[in-house]
Amino acid sequence: MSVAVFANTADDGRTFYKLTAQRIYRGGDNKFRTSNSFSVGELPQLILLLHRAWAFASDLEEDAKAPAEK
């Protein structure tokens, strides 16, 4: 399971962040595959990863603010 943080730039030059989540599993053909759906049992781990990614992205956004905005 993984969560990624991606930086994007708005038309006005402002940087904002988006998150993606996926799980990796091995299919019946023994090849690795990814999915964006999660079982109920996977949700606690997903919530933890999303919270950490949110905190990371929030810190990046806060650091990027101009001193007058803080």
Side-chain angles (χ1 to χ4, degrees):
M1 191 175 306
S2 66
V3 175
V5 178
F6 293 95
N8 291 280
T9 304
D11 291 340
D12 64 3
R14 179 182 58 90
T15 300
F16 62 97
Y17 298 89
K18 291 195 174 192
L19 309 176
T20 62
Q22 69 177 4
R23 66 183 182 88
I24 302 168
Y25 66 97
R26 194 178 294 239
D29 59 1
N30 213 29
K31 292 183 180 178
F32 286 104
R33 305 200 185 282
T34 61
S35 175
N36 298 87
S37 66
F38 302 89
S39 70
V40 171
E42 294 171 320
L43 292 180
Q45 182 182 4
L46 178 61
I47 290 167
L48 175 64
L49 291 173
L50 285 170
H51 185 268
R52 289 180 178 174
W54 166 77
F56 177 75
S58 295
D59 287 347
L60 291 174
E61 286 183 342
E62 186 65 28
D63 289 347
K65 285 184 180 178
E69 294 179 11
K70 288 188 178 179

Coordinates of all heavy atoms in Angstrom, one line a residue:
M1 N 0.8 -1.2 0.0 CA 0.0 0.0 0.0 C 0.9 1.2 0.0 O 1.9 1.2 0.7 CB -0.9 0.0 1.3 CG -2.0 1.0 1.2 SD -3.1 0.9 2.6 CE -3.6 -0.8 2.6
S2 N 0.5 2.2 -0.8 CA 1.3 3.5 -0.8 C 0.4 4.7 -1.0 O -0.7 4.6 -1.6 CB 2.4 3.4 -1.9 OG 1.7 3.3 -3.2
V3 N 0.9 5.8 -0.6 CA 0.3 7.1 -0.8 C 1.4 8.0 -1.3 O 2.5 8.1 -0.8 CB -0.3 7.7 0.5 CG1 -0.9 9.1 0.2 CG2 -1.5 6.8 1.0
A4 N 1.1 8.7 -2.4 CA 2.1 9.6 -3.0 C 1.5 11.0 -3.0 O 0.3 11.3 -3.0 CB 2.3 9.2 -4.5
V5 N 2.4 12.0 -2.8 CA 2.1 13.4 -2.8 C 2.7 14.0 -4.0 O 3.9 13.9 -4.3 CB 2.7 14.1 -1.5 CG1 2.4 15.6 -1.5 CG2 2.2 13.4 -0.3
F6 N 1.9 14.7 -4.8 CA 2.3 15.3 -6.1 C 2.1 16.8 -6.0 O 1.1 17.3 -5.6 CB 1.5 14.8 -7.3 CG 1.7 13.4 -7.6 CD1 0.9 12.4 -7.0 CD2 2.8 13.0 -8.3 CE1 1.1 11.1 -7.3 CE2 3.0 11.7 -8.6 CZ 2.2 10.7 -8.1
A7 N 3.1 17.6 -6.4 CA 3.0 19.0 -6.5 C 2.5 19.4 -7.8 O 2.8 18.8 -8.8 CB 4.4 19.7 -6.3
N8 N 1.6 20.4 -7.8 CA 1.0 21.0 -9.0 C 1.1 22.5 -8.9 O 1.2 23.0 -7.9 CB -0.5 20.6 -9.1 CG -0.7 19.1 -9.4 OD1 -0.6 18.7 -10.5 ND2 -1.0 18.3 -8.3
T9 N 1.1 23.1 -10.1 CA 1.2 24.6 -10.1 C -0.1 25.1 -10.8 O -0.4 24.7 -11.9 CB 2.4 25.0 -11.0 OG1 3.6 24.4 -10.4 CG2 2.6 26.5 -10.9
A10 N -0.7 26.0 -10.1 CA -1.9 26.7 -10.6 C -1.6 27.7 -11.6 O -0.4 28.1 -11.7 CB -2.7 27.3 -9.4
D11 N -2.6 28.2 -12.3 CA -2.3 29.2 -13.4 C -1.7 30.5 -12.8 O -1.0 31.2 -13.4 CB -3.6 29.6 -14.1 CG -4.2 28.4 -14.9 OD1 -3.3 27.6 -15.3 OD2 -5.4 28.4 -15.2
D12 N -2.0 30.8 -11.5 CA -1.5 32.0 -10.9 C -0.1 31.7 -10.3 O 0.5 32.6 -9.6 CB -2.5 32.5 -9.8 CG -2.7 31.5 -8.6 OD1 -2.0 30.4 -8.6 OD2 -3.5 31.8 -7.7
G13 N 0.5 30.5 -10.5 CA 1.8 30.2 -10.0 C 1.9 29.6 -8.6 O 2.9 29.2 -8.2
R14 N 0.7 29.5 -8.0 CA 0.6 28.9 -6.6 C 0.9 27.4 -6.7 O 0.4 26.8 -7.6 CB -0.7 29.2 -6.1 CG -1.0 28.7 -4.7 CD -2.4 29.0 -4.3 NE -3.4 28.5 -5.2 CZ -4.0 27.3 -5.1 NH1 -3.7 26.5 -4.1 NH2 -4.9 27.0 -5.9
T15 N 1.6 26.9 -5.8 CA 1.8 25.4 -5.8 C 0.8 24.8 -4.8 O 0.6 25.3 -3.7 CB 3.2 25.1 -5.3 OG1 4.2 25.7 -6.2 CG2 3.5 23.6 -5.2
F16 N 0.2 23.7 -5.3 CA -0.7 23.0 -4.4 C -0.4 21.5 -4.6 O 0.3 21.1 -5.5 CB -2.2 23.3 -4.7 CG -2.6 22.9 -6.1 CD1 -3.3 21.7 -6.4 CD2 -2.4 23.8 -7.2 CE1 -3.7 21.4 -7.6 CE2 -2.8 23.4 -8.5 CZ -3.4 22.2 -8.7
Y17 N -1.0 20.7 -3.7 CA -0.6 19.3 -3.6 C -1.8 18.4 -3.7 O -2.9 18.7 -3.2 CB 0.2 19.0 -2.3 CG 1.4 19.8 -2.3 CD1 1.5 21.1 -1.7 CD2 2.6 19.3 -2.8 CE1 2.6 21.8 -1.7 CE2 3.8 20.1 -2.8 CZ 3.8 21.3 -2.3 OH 4.9 22.1 -2.3
K18 N -1.6 17.2 -4.4 CA -2.7 16.2 -4.5 C -2.1 14.9 -4.0 O -0.9 14.7 -4.1 CB -3.2 16.1 -5.9 CG -3.9 17.3 -6.3 CD -4.7 17.0 -7.6 CE -5.6 18.3 -7.9 NZ -6.6 18.0 -8.9
L19 N -2.9 14.0 -3.5 CA -2.5 12.8 -3.0 C -3.2 11.6 -3.8 O -4.3 11.8 -4.3 CB -2.9 12.6 -1.6 CG -2.6 13.7 -0.6 CD1 -3.2 13.4 0.8 CD2 -1.1 13.9 -0.5
T20 N -2.4 10.6 -4.0 CA -3.0 9.4 -4.6 C -2.7 8.2 -3.7 O -1.7 8.2 -3.0 CB -2.4 9.0 -6.0 OG1 -1.0 8.8 -5.9 CG2 -2.7 10.2 -7.0
A21 N -3.6 7.2 -3.7 CA -3.4 6.0 -2.9 C -3.6 4.8 -3.7 O -4.4 4.8 -4.6 CB -4.4 6.0 -1.7
Q22 N -2.8 3.8 -3.5 CA -2.9 2.5 -4.3 C -2.4 1.4 -3.4 O -1.7 1.6 -2.5 CB -2.2 2.6 -5.6 CG -0.7 2.6 -5.5 CD -0.1 2.5 -6.9 OE1 -0.7 2.6 -7.9 NE2 1.3 2.4 -6.9
R23 N -2.9 0.2 -3.8 CA -2.3 -1.0 -3.1 C -1.8 -1.9 -4.2 O -2.2 -1.8 -5.4 CB -3.4 -1.8 -2.3 CG -4.5 -2.3 -3.1 CD -5.5 -3.0 -2.2 NE -6.6 -3.6 -3.0 CZ -6.6 -4.8 -3.5 NH1 -5.5 -5.6 -3.3 NH2 -7.6 -5.3 -4.2
I24 N -0.8 -2.6 -3.9 CA -0.1 -3.5 -4.8 C -0.3 -4.9 -4.4 O -0.2 -5.3 -3.2 CB 1.4 -3.2 -4.9 CG1 1.7 -1.7 -5.2 CG2 2.2 -4.1 -5.8 CD1 3.1 -1.3 -5.0
Y25 N -0.7 -5.8 -5.4 CA -1.0 -7.2 -5.1 C -0.5 -8.0 -6.2 O -0.2 -7.5 -7.3 CB -2.5 -7.4 -4.8 CG -3.3 -7.2 -6.0 CD1 -3.7 -8.2 -6.8 CD2 -3.7 -5.9 -6.4 CE1 -4.5 -8.0 -7.9 CE2 -4.5 -5.7 -7.5 CZ -4.9 -6.7 -8.3 OH -5.7 -6.5 -9.4
R26 N -0.4 -9.3 -6.0 CA 0.0 -10.3 -7.0 C -1.2 -11.0 -7.5 O -2.0 -11.6 -6.7 CB 1.0 -11.3 -6.4 CG 1.7 -12.1 -7.5 CD 2.8 -13.0 -6.8 NE 3.8 -12.2 -6.2 CZ 5.1 -12.3 -6.5 NH1 5.5 -13.1 -7.4 NH2 6.0 -11.6 -5.8
G27 N -1.5 -10.9 -8.8 CA -2.6 -11.5 -9.4 C -2.5 -13.0 -9.6 O -1.4 -13.6 -9.3
G28 N -3.5 -13.6 -10.1 CA -3.5 -15.1 -10.3 C -2.4 -15.6 -11.2 O -2.0 -16.7 -11.2
D29 N -2.0 -14.7 -12.1 CA -0.9 -15.0 -13.1 C 0.5 -14.7 -12.5 O 1.5 -14.8 -13.2 CB -1.1 -14.2 -14.4 CG -1.1 -12.7 -14.2 OD1 -1.0 -12.3 -13.0 OD2 -1.3 -12.0 -15.1
N30 N 0.5 -14.4 -11.2 CA 1.7 -14.2 -10.4 C 2.4 -12.8 -10.8 O 3.6 -12.6 -10.5 CB 2.7 -15.3 -10.6 CG 3.6 -15.5 -9.3 OD1 3.1 -15.2 -8.2 ND2 4.8 -16.1 -9.5
K31 N 1.7 -12.0 -11.5 CA 2.2 -10.7 -11.9 C 1.7 -9.6 -10.9 O 0.6 -9.7 -10.4 CB 1.8 -10.2 -13.3 CG 2.5 -11.1 -14.4 CD 2.1 -10.6 -15.7 CE 2.7 -11.4 -16.8 NZ 2.3 -11.0 -18.2
F32 N 2.6 -8.6 -10.6 CA 2.1 -7.6 -9.7 C 1.1 -6.6 -10.4 O 1.3 -6.3 -11.6 CB 3.3 -6.8 -9.2 CG 4.2 -7.5 -8.2 CD1 5.4 -8.1 -8.5 CD2 3.7 -7.7 -6.9 CE1 6.1 -8.8 -7.6 CE2 4.4 -8.4 -5.9 CZ 5.6 -8.9 -6.3
R33 N 0.1 -6.2 -9.7 CA -0.9 -5.3 -10.2 C -1.2 -4.3 -9.1 O -0.8 -4.4 -7.9 CB -2.2 -6.1 -10.4 CG -2.0 -7.3 -11.4 CD -3.3 -7.7 -12.0 NE -3.1 -8.9 -12.8 CZ -2.6 -8.9 -14.0 NH1 -2.2 -7.8 -14.6 NH2 -2.5 -10.0 -14.7
T34 N -1.8 -3.2 -9.5 CA -2.2 -2.1 -8.6 C -3.7 -1.9 -8.6 O -4.4 -2.3 -9.6 CB -1.5 -0.8 -8.9 OG1 -1.9 -0.4 -10.2 CG2 0.0 -0.9 -8.8
S35 N -4.2 -1.4 -7.5 CA -5.6 -1.1 -7.4 C -5.8 0.1 -6.6 O -5.0 0.4 -5.7 CB -6.4 -2.3 -6.8 OG -7.7 -2.0 -6.6
N36 N -6.9 0.8 -6.8 CA -7.3 1.9 -6.0 C -8.5 1.6 -5.1 O -9.1 2.5 -4.5 CB -7.6 3.2 -6.8 CG -6.4 3.6 -7.7 OD1 -6.2 3.1 -8.7 ND2 -5.6 4.5 -7.1
S37 N -8.8 0.4 -4.9 CA -9.9 0.0 -4.0 C -9.3 -0.8 -2.9 O -8.3 -1.5 -3.0 CB -11.0 -0.9 -4.7 OG -10.4 -2.1 -5.1
F38 N -9.9 -0.6 -1.7 CA -9.3 -1.2 -0.5 C -10.4 -1.9 0.3 O -11.6 -1.6 0.3 CB -8.8 -0.1 0.4 CG -7.7 0.8 -0.3 CD1 -8.1 1.9 -1.1 CD2 -6.4 0.4 -0.2 CE1 -7.1 2.6 -1.7 CE2 -5.4 1.1 -0.9 CZ -5.8 2.2 -1.7
S39 N -10.0 -3.0 1.0 CA -10.9 -3.7 1.8 C -11.1 -3.0 3.1 O -10.3 -2.2 3.5 CB -10.4 -5.2 2.0 OG -9.3 -5.1 2.9
V40 N -12.1 -3.4 3.8 CA -12.4 -2.8 5.2 C -11.2 -3.1 6.1 O -10.8 -2.2 6.8 CB -13.7 -3.4 5.8 CG1 -13.9 -3.0 7.2 CG2 -14.9 -3.0 4.9
G41 N -10.6 -4.2 6.0 CA -9.4 -4.5 6.8 C -8.2 -3.7 6.5 O -7.3 -3.5 7.4
E42 N -8.1 -3.1 5.3 CA -7.0 -2.3 4.9 C -7.2 -0.8 5.3 O -6.2 -0.1 5.3 CB -6.8 -2.4 3.4 CG -6.3 -3.8 2.9 CD -6.3 -3.9 1.4 OE1 -7.3 -3.4 0.8 OE2 -5.4 -4.5 0.9
L43 N -8.4 -0.5 5.7 CA -8.7 0.9 6.0 C -7.8 1.6 7.1 O -7.4 2.7 7.0 CB -10.1 1.1 6.2 CG -11.0 0.9 5.0 CD1 -12.5 1.1 5.3 CD2 -10.6 1.8 3.8
P44 N -7.6 0.9 8.2 CA -6.8 1.5 9.3 C -5.4 1.9 8.8 O -4.9 3.0 9.0 CB -6.7 0.5 10.4 CG -8.0 -0.3 10.2 CD -8.2 -0.4 8.7
Q45 N -4.7 1.1 8.0 CA -3.4 1.4 7.5 C -3.5 2.5 6.4 O -2.7 3.4 6.4 CB -2.8 0.2 6.8 CG -1.4 0.4 6.3 CD -0.8 -0.8 5.6 OE1 -1.4 -1.8 5.4 NE2 0.4 -0.6 5.2
L46 N -4.6 2.5 5.6 CA -4.7 3.5 4.6 C -5.0 4.9 5.3 O -4.4 5.9 4.9 CB -5.9 3.2 3.7 CG -6.3 4.2 2.6 CD1 -5.1 4.5 1.7 CD2 -7.5 3.8 1.9
I47 N -5.8 4.9 6.3 CA -6.1 6.1 7.1 C -4.8 6.7 7.7 O -4.5 7.9 7.6 CB -7.1 5.9 8.2 CG1 -8.5 5.6 7.5 CG2 -7.2 7.0 9.1 CD1 -9.6 5.1 8.4
L48 N -4.0 5.8 8.2 CA -2.7 6.3 8.8 C -1.8 6.9 7.7 O -1.2 8.0 7.9 CB -2.0 5.1 9.5 CG -0.6 5.4 10.0 CD1 -0.6 6.5 11.1 CD2 0.1 4.2 10.5
L49 N -1.7 6.2 6.6 CA -0.8 6.7 5.5 C -1.4 8.0 4.9 O -0.6 8.9 4.7 CB -0.7 5.7 4.4 CG 0.1 4.4 4.7 CD1 -0.1 3.4 3.6 CD2 1.5 4.7 5.0
L50 N -2.7 8.1 4.8 CA -3.3 9.4 4.3 C -3.1 10.5 5.3 O -2.8 11.6 4.9 CB -4.8 9.2 4.0 CG -5.1 8.4 2.7 CD1 -6.6 8.0 2.7 CD2 -4.7 9.1 1.5
H51 N -3.2 10.2 6.5 CA -3.0 11.3 7.5 C -1.5 11.8 7.5 O -1.3 13.0 7.5 CB -3.3 10.7 8.9 CG -3.2 11.8 10.0 ND1 -2.0 12.0 10.7 CD2 -4.1 12.7 10.4 CE1 -2.2 13.0 11.5 NE2 -3.5 13.5 11.4
R52 N -0.6 10.9 7.4 CA 0.8 11.3 7.3 C 1.1 12.1 6.0 O 1.8 13.1 6.0 CB 1.8 10.0 7.3 CG 1.8 9.4 8.7 CD 2.7 8.2 8.7 NE 2.8 7.6 10.0 CZ 3.4 6.5 10.3 NH1 4.1 5.9 9.4 NH2 3.5 6.1 11.6
A53 N 0.5 11.6 4.9 CA 0.7 12.4 3.6 C 0.0 13.7 3.7 O 0.6 14.7 3.2 CB 0.1 11.6 2.5
W54 N -1.1 13.8 4.3 CA -1.8 15.1 4.5 C -0.9 16.1 5.3 O -0.8 17.2 5.0 CB -3.2 14.9 5.2 CG -3.8 16.2 5.7 CD1 -4.4 17.1 5.0 CD2 -3.7 16.6 7.0 NE1 -4.8 18.2 5.8 CE2 -4.4 17.9 7.1 CE3 -3.2 16.1 8.2 CZ2 -4.5 18.6 8.2 CZ3 -3.4 16.8 9.4 CH2 -4.0 18.1 9.4
A55 N -0.4 15.5 6.4 CA 0.5 16.4 7.3 C 1.7 16.9 6.5 O 2.1 18.0 6.6 CB 0.9 15.6 8.5
F56 N 2.3 16.0 5.7 CA 3.5 16.4 4.9 C 3.1 17.4 3.9 O 3.8 18.5 3.8 CB 4.0 15.1 4.2 CG 5.1 15.4 3.3 CD1 6.4 15.6 3.8 CD2 5.0 15.4 1.9 CE1 7.5 15.8 2.9 CE2 6.0 15.6 1.0 CZ 7.3 15.8 1.6
A57 N 2.0 17.2 3.2 CA 1.6 18.2 2.2 C 1.2 19.5 2.8 O 1.5 20.6 2.3 CB 0.4 17.7 1.3
S58 N 0.5 19.5 4.0 CA 0.1 20.7 4.7 C 1.4 21.5 5.1 O 1.4 22.7 5.0 CB -0.7 20.3 5.9 OG -1.9 19.8 5.5
D59 N 2.4 20.8 5.6 CA 3.7 21.5 6.0 C 4.3 22.1 4.8 O 4.8 23.3 4.9 CB 4.6 20.5 6.6 CG 4.3 20.0 8.0 OD1 3.4 20.7 8.6 OD2 4.8 19.1 8.5
L60 N 4.3 21.4 3.6 CA 4.8 22.0 2.4 C 4.1 23.3 2.0 O 4.7 24.3 1.6 CB 4.8 21.0 1.3 CG 5.8 19.8 1.4 CD1 5.5 18.9 0.2 CD2 7.2 20.3 1.4
E61 N 2.8 23.2 2.1 CA 2.0 24.4 1.7 C 2.2 25.6 2.7 O 2.3 26.7 2.3 CB 0.5 24.1 1.7 CG 0.1 23.2 0.5 CD -1.4 23.0 0.4 OE1 -2.1 23.1 1.4 OE2 -1.8 22.6 -0.7
E62 N 2.3 25.3 4.0 CA 2.6 26.3 5.0 C 3.9 26.9 4.8 O 4.1 28.1 4.8 CB 2.5 25.7 6.4 CG 2.6 26.7 7.5 CD 1.4 27.7 7.5 OE1 0.3 27.3 7.1 OE2 1.7 28.8 8.0
D63 N 5.0 26.1 4.4 CA 6.3 26.6 4.2 C 6.4 27.5 3.0 O 7.2 28.4 2.9 CB 7.3 25.5 4.1 CG 7.6 24.8 5.4 OD1 7.2 25.3 6.4 OD2 8.1 23.6 5.3
A64 N 5.5 27.2 2.0 CA 5.5 28.0 0.8 C 4.8 29.3 0.9 O 5.0 30.2 0.0 CB 4.8 27.2 -0.4
K65 N 4.0 29.6 1.9 CA 3.3 30.8 2.1 C 4.3 32.0 2.3 O 5.3 31.8 2.9 CB 2.4 30.8 3.3 CG 1.1 29.9 3.0 CD 0.2 30.0 4.2 CE -1.0 29.2 4.0 NZ -1.9 29.3 5.2
A66 N 3.9 33.1 1.7 CA 4.7 34.3 1.9 C 4.7 34.7 3.4 O 3.7 34.5 4.0 CB 4.2 35.4 1.0
P67 N 5.7 35.3 3.9 CA 5.7 35.7 5.3 C 4.5 36.6 5.7 O 4.0 36.4 6.8 CB 7.0 36.5 5.5 CG 7.9 36.0 4.4 CD 7.0 35.6 3.3
A68 N 4.0 37.4 4.8 CA 2.8 38.2 5.1 C 1.6 37.4 5.3 O 0.6 37.8 6.0 CB 2.6 39.2 4.0
E69 N 1.5 36.2 4.8 CA 0.3 35.3 4.9 C 0.4 34.5 6.1 O -0.7 33.9 6.5 CB 0.2 34.4 3.6 CG 0.0 35.2 2.3 CD -0.1 34.2 1.2 OE1 -0.1 33.0 1.4 OE2 0.0 34.7 0.0
K70 N 1.5 34.3 6.8 CA 1.6 33.5 7.9 C 1.0 34.1 9.2 O 1.0 35.2 9.4 CB 3.0 33.0 8.2 CG 3.5 32.0 7.2 CD 4.9 31.5 7.6 CE 5.3 30.5 6.6 NZ 6.6 30.0 6.9

